[in-house]
Amino acid sequence: MINYTIYTNESSDQWVTFVHGAGGSSSIWFKQIREFQKYFNVLLLDLRGHGDSKKTSFTKKYTFKSIAHDVLEVIDYLKIQSSHFVGISLGTIVIRQLAEMHPERVKSMIMGGAILKMNFRSQILMRAGNLFKYILPYLILYRLFAFIIMPKANHKHSRLLFINEAKKLYQKEFIKWFKLTAEINPVLRWFRQVELNIPTLYIMGEEDYMFLPSVEKVVEAHYATAKLFVIEKCGHVVNIENSNVFNAQALEFLSRLK
């Protein structure tokens, strides 16, 4: 089972589960824990191969379904019937996959820096990565990806944080995760087409040029359940770059659901 950490709130029976992106770990939520714990029980996860979960070996093939099942295994073990979910970057795909498989377990979805479509530049990036993933050390590729996705000076802090977290991965683990890109296009196409009956808030950075346009289109189409908030002068990793606004918008969204 993947590693998890719990922060309890004895006055609440509601749970919020946080899912990080590729190359990160549960530590990227350090700016959210205190604020969310005021109102909810908080569950942090380390996805397979990340953080303290890299101590565990996984025999199942790396697919979005198997990674979502890892999350389900933890909430089953903790006897959490349903939870709100907060994700960043690739973690938003894992949450959406879990919602496809078990919608009754997902009360709401807060998607930061959500990935709903790979644009032309990201497609080229993925092809280059596939070409060189066995040749170049993975940290060189990861630094390149981080700089392309988060290029501006005000993105530097979140860019360096993710690079430092990625240093804790192994080359083989990086390759396993990178192979997921082979299935990402059909998965995302399905997500864009199908609207789930689950309240969803997308929190995106104004400068998240690779992923914001597709989210704007999806929110227009999924208007019955989806809302979008765009943080000005902010890049891809919204929960770190502007944690105050991210936390305020997420908690306001959750309070309205109550």
Side-chain angles (χ1 to χ4, degrees):
M1 189 163 61
I2 60 174
N3 181 69
Y4 66 88
T5 305
I6 290 174
Y7 296 87
T8 57
N9 179 329
E10 293 183 2
S11 63
S12 175
D13 62 354
Q14 300 287 301
W15 286 85
V16 177
T17 302
F18 289 83
V19 184
H20 65 80
S25 74
S26 58
S27 66
I28 65 134
W29 301 110
F30 68 97
K31 292 187 175 183
Q32 280 67 57
I33 296 168
R34 180 176 295 178
E35 289 302 309
F36 280 79
Q37 192 189 7
K38 291 177 182 177
Y39 311 99
F40 302 96
N41 296 288
V42 171
L43 172 61
L44 305 181
L45 303 172
D46 285 325
L47 297 179
R48 58 171 67 181
H50 294 72
D52 287 336
S53 290
K54 70 181 182 182
K55 299 172 184 176
T56 306
S57 60
F58 296 90
T59 55
K60 292 181 183 176
K61 181 184 175 183
Y62 283 37
T63 66
F64 287 112
K65 285 185 177 180
S66 65
I67 294 166
H69 187 269
D70 292 344
V71 177
L72 181 67
E73 188 176 31
V74 173
I75 62 174
D76 278 347
Y77 177 76
L78 296 173
K79 296 181 171 56
I80 299 172
Q81 294 302 312
S82 61
S83 173
H84 304 283
F85 282 84
V86 181
I88 193 75
S89 194
L90 188 133
T92 64
I93 302 178
V94 176
I95 292 171
R96 176 59 197 261
Q97 182 64 64
L98 177 62
E100 291 281 340
M101 295 159 55
H102 298 281
E104 74 284 357
R105 310 300 293 273
V106 181
K107 286 188 172 183
S108 71
M109 300 183 288
I110 298 172
M111 311 293 227
I115 300 174
L116 286 175
K117 186 177 183 180
M118 306 299 285
N119 67 7
F120 179 74
R121 189 174 295 191
S122 57
Q123 297 275 13
I124 295 297
L125 194 61
M126 292 301 104
R127 288 173 187 172
N130 270 312
L131 187 63
F132 294 109
K133 66 179 182 286
Y134 292 109
I135 303 169
L136 292 175
Y138 78 93
L139 265 180
I140 293 177
L141 286 174
Y142 199 89
R143 287 177 188 273
L144 175 63
F145 296 163
F147 187 79
I148 291 173
I149 295 170
M150 300 171 270
K152 295 197 173 187
N154 56 304
H155 307 163
K156 184 178 179 180
H157 176 62
S158 52
R159 185 169 65 238
L160 290 178
L161 188 146
F162 265 76
I163 290 170
N164 286 333
E165 283 296 319
K167 288 178 182 177
K168 301 170 186 175
L169 285 174
Y170 302 122
Q171 179 86 8
K172 288 182 179 179
E173 196 65 39
F174 176 83
I175 290 171
K176 287 178 182 178
W177 275 87
F178 205 90
K179 285 180 178 179
L180 276 173
T181 59
E183 69 169 270
I184 200 167
N185 283 329
V187 167
L188 294 182
R189 190 178 304 117
W190 176 257
F191 291 171
R192 294 194 303 272
Q193 291 172 352
V194 177
E195 180 176 9
L196 297 178
N197 188 29
I198 297 173
T200 305
L201 173 65
Y202 293 95
I203 305 179
M204 304 293 293
E206 180 186 36
E207 298 167 350
D208 194 354
Y209 69 100
M210 289 183 72
F211 303 115
L212 176 58
S214 58
V215 171
E216 289 174 327
K217 290 181 180 178
V218 167
V219 171
E220 279 185 30
H222 296 181
Y223 61 88
T225 59
K227 306 294 180 188
L228 169 64
F229 185 88
V230 178
I231 303 178
E232 295 180 356
K233 298 179 182 178
C234 188
H236 182 60
V237 191
V238 286
N239 70 302
I240 292 173
E241 285 186 41
N242 199 329
S243 59
N244 290 337
V245 174
F246 179 89
N247 293 346
Q249 290 299 318
L251 288 169
E252 182 185 345
F253 171 74
L254 294 173
S255 70
R256 288 200 302 268
L257 296 180
K258 284 185 179 179

